[in-house]
Amino acid sequence: MEAHAEPSEHNSDDASPENDVALSSEDHSSLPKETTPELAVLDSPDSSSEPQPSNPNTRTRPDPPSGSTVPPPRKRRRRKKFFTELSANASQNRRSDVAKDTDVEALIANSVGFPGDSLTEEEIEASVVSTIGGSEQAKYLIVRNHILARWRSDVSVWLTREKALKSIRNEHKGLVDVAYRFLLEHGYINFGVALPIKEAKLRSIDGIERGTVIVVGAGLAGLVAARQLVFLGFKVVILEGRTRPGGRVKTRKIEGDRVEAAADFGGSVLTGINGNPLGVLARQLGLPLHKVRDICPLYMPDGKNVDSEIDSRVEVSFNKLLERVCKLRQKMIEEVKSVDCPLGTALEAFRRVYHVAEDKEERILLNWHLANLEYANATHMSNLSMAYWDQDDPFEMGGDHCFIPGGNEVFVRALAEDLPIFYGRTVECVKYGSDGVIVNAGGQEFRGDMALCTVPLGVLKKGSIEFVPELPQRKRDAIHRLGFGLLNKVIMLFPYNFWGGDLDTFGHLTEDLSMRGEFFLFYSYSSVSGGPLLVALVAGEAALRFEMMSPVESVRRVLEVLKNIYNPKGITVPDPIQAVCTRWGKDHFAYGSYSYVAVGSSGDDYDILAESVGDGRLFFAGEATNKLYPATMHGAFLSGMREAANILRMAKRRSPTPVDRTINISGENDDLNKLFVNPDQTFGSFSVLFDPQKNDLDCISLLRVRIGGAMLSSVGLYLYALVSKKQVIDLSQVEGDENRIRMLNRDIGVSLVGRKGLSSTAESLIASIKLSRFNLSEVRNGE
């Protein structure tokens, strides 16, 4: 995808294509006036708006006003950007209403990730125009931007092709057809969890069945891809090693002593709301967004406030160091091409040369800024590529950083609803070839036409999954080169909020330079979690040491920091009611937190990770496959949409009439289907056939569970188990299918299996039921 174009660069000439395509005059007023809801904060001086630097490798930040002795309040957040923010001043040129609207629509397209005045790589690959450049492309862009803006004005309603065409001149119907189809298939419009959207997506886009896809991983990328694939006509099954969906997005309620709060253990902040697909989901679910307030006071190791003048001076010096490194790397790239070194080494060299932060207080303050950078990249400065560590900056989502009330699991639950997810299925092996894929997980074999691997980069690095044949050397090298870092948290629920309600963040400095990332930043979630919740972050080298430390010691250390800050102010720091320490590095389904560009790597490695292998049989998604938005929740979301479109493209290319390949667990024969047309008992998604020869409570019964609900109403995905009649009665008295499955696994100790996984005892029972039904039918026919 190409870099964003400046909105001010749109041509206002009367002969421009925007006046040629444009909205028809009678329908011009039908375009909603609020077509820019996500750009409302774009010109806010406090927002993280999209920058448009002349040199994307240069980072700057305005110095304090000359002669100013008291700097403005400190504004900090997890950020990698040091570019001058975009000034969104209104154009002084007089334009027609149509021209202004097309500029607004280009801005909206830009916020979503589309360049307002050029095609993306996806569009070029999809051949949306016959010739790159020229008038046809210019007209297509106007149409594409208009359709995007029209849906974004009301994301809870399905935008039909007819509605999209309504305000476009009829002679451009062909362009509308192409743009609408592209945006629909690639998930840029009509996506999400609003009821009209979900209902419409229960039906295949064109009624064509396109085979089966096995999705490995039920994180954001896997869930989004699965929903889109069902809409595109595929049968889908998701294999998840955990007992929950969400992956590295995990929300857990912690409580005690009549106090409770919802805590995000993993991904927690929506980093930029403009154009963010998770922002769309929040609007659809009616969730209020809480802007993370930028004011972030810093405290010295002894708890005293950092001197504001020193704070301002060090921050300016820190940004100048980054500017100097950026200028150096630009020269190195131009002259030497492939030279790289650690970002930390370059910054330290410049610090020494320019005598920056030689005073002790300035040095520990500078180290706080370095810790903040290590938080943004999930690793120590010595691991970051000087040349490419910030390669994604030009594409960062604009707008405020926000919390979601109740935690991000609300997105996960909505996306996972009705999908066929098999939990506790840790994938051990993926075999792929010209005739399809075989995935081995949890002692079962799953067969399909294609597979989508969405596991974290840490799992790929660990080699937890065997690929047969081995992944291409090019991809293995990229997996090795890219970094996968670590961020941990201490999550504390207190009996009351002692730190105050006017802040969302505050920082703490340490004298131990090697532990600068330990509890360097605190997030207050009191306004969104439902209780007095405080989270301390641990980044950089400290995050690694943190996993070796006992939770009791970690909590003791963080309380000592808080007491040093608040006790001198006369504020008592109570013991937490409950505290939890994350250990993402030891999580066998992640082995870390998020990706970064390591020394010797580049943004190209994200693209290599995203490449399919096996002639379009095995695909990859996840934040570490998204060059533009790595290390973010929305990056994972968008990668899932991207791969759903790629799978569709490959399926169309491979065969106009796809082979109906059944997943192993759903390949039951017609005879068994006929038996379950009239089950002996049903409750929820469960149905049961009893042994016709016996009637006692201990007799064996065949239990069938339908997986997937409405999302797979036409597919028929079933699992089976042998249980006693008494156990059937016990299960029927439990509320909800999830609780029944949990009881089946944990209490009864029975695992669900596919049709081919049934034992000889089960086959004998099936034969007995068939014979009984046949004899009964014969008797009725005789009568």
Side-chain angles (χ1 to χ4, degrees):
M1 201 173 287
E2 301 171 38
H4 296 162
E6 286 239 28
S8 59
E9 292 176 355
H10 291 289
N11 193 341
S12 62
D13 187 79
D14 290 337
S16 68
E18 59 196 40
N19 289 324
D20 188 29
V21 176
L23 310 168
S24 58
S25 58
E26 65 271 22
D27 290 321
H28 184 201
S29 61
S30 68
L31 181 65
K33 298 300 181 185
E34 65 276 17
T35 51
T36 59
E38 295 168 291
L39 297 178
V41 295
L42 198 63
D43 59 352
S44 166
D46 295 343
S47 69
S48 177
S49 303
E50 289 293 349
Q52 306 297 333
S54 57
N55 178 354
N57 291 319
T58 302
R59 293 165 175 258
T60 63
R61 182 168 180 170
D63 291 348
S66 59
S68 174
T69 57
V70 181
R74 310 315 302 153
K75 299 178 179 180
R76 322 171 203 274
R77 63 170 57 140
R78 174 197 168 190
R79 65 190 178 106
K80 293 167 66 178
K81 305 173 75 67
F82 293 88
F83 297 128
T84 304
E85 292 186 345
L86 169 66
S87 175
N89 295 326
S91 171
Q92 300 301 314
N93 296 332
R94 290 182 173 273
R95 297 167 177 251
S96 67
D97 288 342
V98 170
K100 289 178 182 178
D101 281 336
T102 53
D103 274 1
V104 168
E105 290 170 358
L107 259 178
I108 293 173
N110 188 268
S111 75
V112 175
F114 284 88
D117 56 358
S118 60
L119 299 175
T120 65
E121 291 179 9
E122 286 180 317
E123 288 174 306
I124 294 172
E125 193 165 353
S127 301
V128 294
V129 294
S130 56
T131 306
I132 303 299
S135 61
E136 182 192 14
Q137 174 177 311
K139 293 173 184 177
Y140 166 84
L141 293 173
I142 300 299
V143 170
R144 175 251 274 163
N145 296 347
H146 174 68
I147 294 173
L148 271 171
R150 198 167 190 88
W151 184 69
R152 286 274 172 159
S153 70
D154 190 354
V155 295
S156 293
V157 175
W158 185 272
L159 177 65
T160 64
R161 174 191 160 281
E162 289 70 29
K163 192 171 182 180
L165 181 62
K166 186 176 179 182
S167 53
I168 301 288
R169 291 179 181 173
N170 199 52
E171 60 262 34
H172 301 297
K173 175 177 175 294
L175 288 174
V176 173
D177 289 344
V178 171
Y180 181 83
R181 184 82 181 193
F182 173 83
L183 294 172
L184 187 64
E185 290 183 352
H186 287 73
Y188 290 109
I189 60 172
N190 295 336
F191 68 85
V193 294
L195 187 58
I197 304 292
K198 292 176 76 172
E199 289 179 346
K201 287 207 166 186
L202 293 178
R203 301 179 297 275
S204 169
I205 185 174
D206 51 17
I208 299 175
E209 290 190 10
R210 294 191 163 88
T212 61
V213 180
I214 301 170
V215 178
V216 180
L220 284 178
L223 295 175
V224 169
R227 297 196 80 85
Q228 185 73 354
L229 285 167
V230 170
F231 171 60
L232 296 176
F234 293 90
K235 297 178 183 179
V236 177
V237 63
I238 305 175
L239 306 179
E240 170 57 52
R242 303 180 191 271
T243 56
R244 61 169 181 82
R248 285 167 283 165
V249 177
K250 175 186 178 182
T251 305
R252 176 180 156 191
K253 181 187 289 185
I254 57 177
E255 56 189 336
D257 197 20
R258 293 178 295 181
V259 179
E260 65 178 34
D264 278 320
F265 283 40
S268 58
V269 182
L270 270 63
T271 49
I273 201 63
N274 291 350
N276 194 321
L278 295 177
V280 171
L281 266 60
R283 290 168 62 191
Q284 292 174 334
L285 294 169
L287 298 174
L289 297 177
H290 175 82
K291 175 185 175 182
V292 180
R293 290 164 286 190
D294 291 320
I295 307 303
C296 179
L298 296 184
Y299 299 100
M300 296 295 292
D302 60 3
K304 295 180 181 178
N305 287 74
V306 170
D307 181 271
S308 59
E309 186 175 339
I310 297 175
D311 186 7
S312 177
R313 184 168 65 247
V314 170
E315 185 166 8
V316 170
S317 298
F318 171 66
N319 289 329
K320 285 183 177 179
L321 285 178
L322 284 170
E323 290 175 33
R324 291 185 172 108
V325 169
C326 291
K327 290 176 182 177
L328 170 66
R329 72 170 176 196
Q330 190 62 33
K331 291 181 180 178
M332 291 175 65
I333 291 173
E334 290 172 356
E335 296 175 8
V336 193
K337 302 297 182 185
S338 61
V339 171
D340 199 3
C341 72
L343 176 63
T345 300
L347 284 173
E348 178 60 16
F350 277 112
R351 187 192 72 78
R352 292 176 180 273
V353 168
Y354 290 96
H355 307 289
V356 173
E358 293 186 320
D359 174 80
K360 179 181 178 181
E361 184 174 349
E362 291 184 352
R363 185 68 190 279
I364 62 176
L365 183 53
L366 176 66
N367 269 275
W368 186 92
H369 288 286
L370 294 175
N372 195 34
L373 210 56
E374 290 173 337
Y375 160 41
N377 294 277
T379 193
H380 192 270
M381 299 291 291
S382 62
N383 298 324
L384 284 174
S385 163
M386 183 196 73
Y388 301 108
W389 69 279
D390 57 348
Q391 59 84 35
D392 59 304
D393 271 9
F395 314 104
E396 187 172 290
M397 292 285 179
D400 295 319
H401 289 205
C402 297
F403 291 141
I404 296 296
N408 292 314
E409 198 168 277
V410 64
F411 297 141
V412 173
R413 288 197 303 269
L415 290 170
E417 186 179 2
D418 290 330
L419 284 176
I421 307 173
F422 297 94
Y423 298 109
R425 300 301 197 281
T426 302
V427 171
E428 299 100 17
C429 180
V430 177
K431 300 175 183 177
Y432 59 97
S434 59
D435 59 343
V437 297
I438 300 174
V439 179
N440 297 110
Q444 289 181 256
E445 185 178 273
F446 298 79
R447 295 176 180 269
D449 292 284
M450 289 169 277
L452 172 60
C453 180
T454 70
V455 301
L457 174 59
V459 174
L460 295 177
K461 281 180 166 291
K462 198 74 173 179
S464 304
I465 299 176
E466 178 187 10
F467 293 95
V468 181
E470 196 172 23
L471 294 176
Q473 188 65 47
R474 167 183 169 87
K475 187 179 286 285
R476 282 184 283 142
D477 289 345
I479 291 171
H480 176 73
R481 283 192 300 264
L482 267 180
F484 196 66
L486 188 60
L487 173 75
N488 276 311
K489 303 179 180 181
V490 179
I491 301 165
M492 297 165 289
L493 179 66
F494 287 95
Y496 54 88
N497 182 337
F498 62 85
W499 57 91
D502 57 340
L503 294 174
D504 289 324
T505 58
F506 59 90
H508 165 256
L509 281 59
T510 180
E511 294 181 358
D512 185 349
L513 302 186
S514 68
M515 294 294 284
R516 62 191 176 205
E518 184 183 50
F519 319 134
F520 85 101
L521 187 64
F522 289 81
Y523 271 106
S524 168
Y525 285 84
S526 292
S527 57
V528 292
S529 67
L533 192 73
L534 191 65
V535 175
L537 301 185
V538 189
E541 185 178 340
L544 297 171
R545 296 189 187 182
F546 179 80
E547 299 213 341
M548 302 297 110
M549 193 181 299
S550 74
V552 173
E553 175 63 13
S554 297
V555 174
R556 185 195 66 77
R557 289 171 68 90
V558 75
L559 286 176
E560 185 178 331
V561 169
L562 290 171
K563 288 174 182 178
N564 284 343
I565 294 173
Y566 289 101
N567 284 359
K569 297 178 174 61
I571 299 173
T572 300
V573 177
D575 289 335
I577 295 172
Q578 190 175 152
V580 182
C581 299
T582 65
R583 295 282 190 271
W584 286 106
K586 293 183 177 180
D587 186 313
H588 297 303
F589 299 110
Y591 292 109
S593 300
Y594 41 89
S595 61
Y596 65 90
V597 183
V599 178
S601 183
S602 72
D604 293 340
D605 286 330
Y606 287 108
D607 286 339
I608 296 173
L609 250 67
E611 292 173 353
S612 64
V613 301
D615 192 25
R617 292 294 181 181
L618 178 58
F619 297 78
F620 293 83
E623 58 85 11
T625 71
N626 196 324
K627 180 180 180 179
L628 306 188
Y629 309 108
T632 62
M633 292 183 289
H634 58 268
F637 186 107
L638 292 169
S639 75
M641 282 295 190
R642 179 199 69 214
E643 290 312 302
N646 285 337
I647 289 170
L648 174 65
R649 175 174 52 82
M650 187 57 66
K652 286 180 176 180
R653 181 185 301 175
R654 182 172 291 119
S655 173
T657 55
V659 177
D660 184 16
R661 183 187 305 275
T662 58
I663 299 173
N664 173 264
I665 57 173
S666 65
E668 55 188 346
N669 57 44
D670 290 337
D671 289 342
L672 194 52
N673 272 332
K674 290 176 182 177
L675 291 179
F676 275 99
V677 169
N678 296 302
D680 295 312
Q681 187 173 350
T682 61
F683 43 92
S685 298
F686 289 59
S687 53
V688 186
L689 297 176
F690 295 132
D691 187 340
Q693 307 299 325
K694 300 178 182 178
N695 197 29
D696 59 276
L697 292 178
D698 292 328
C699 69
I700 295 176
S701 307
L702 182 62
L703 176 72
R704 184 172 82 163
V705 182
R706 183 183 183 88
I707 303 297
M711 286 293 287
L712 289 177
S713 58
S714 62
V715 176
L717 197 57
Y718 301 105
L719 289 180
Y720 302 87
L722 285 181
V723 293
S724 70
K725 195 170 186 177
K726 182 181 184 306
Q727 289 167 338
V728 169
I729 295 171
D730 292 341
L731 285 168
S732 67
Q733 295 173 349
V734 174
E735 288 284 336
D737 287 341
E738 287 187 13
N739 291 329
R740 294 185 186 112
I741 292 176
R742 190 177 296 112
M743 177 181 177
L744 195 66
N745 293 334
R746 295 181 183 178
D747 300 339
I748 300 177
V750 172
S751 297
L752 293 166
V753 298
R755 172 66 178 89
K756 295 180 181 179
L758 288 173
S759 65
S760 57
T761 303
E763 296 298 343
S764 297
L765 176 59
I766 292 169
S768 176
I769 296 171
K770 285 181 184 178
L771 181 60
S772 176
R773 296 272 179 101
F774 176 77
N775 290 337
L776 181 60
S777 176
E778 288 291 303
V779 170
R780 287 175 177 170
N781 289 338
E783 292 176 348

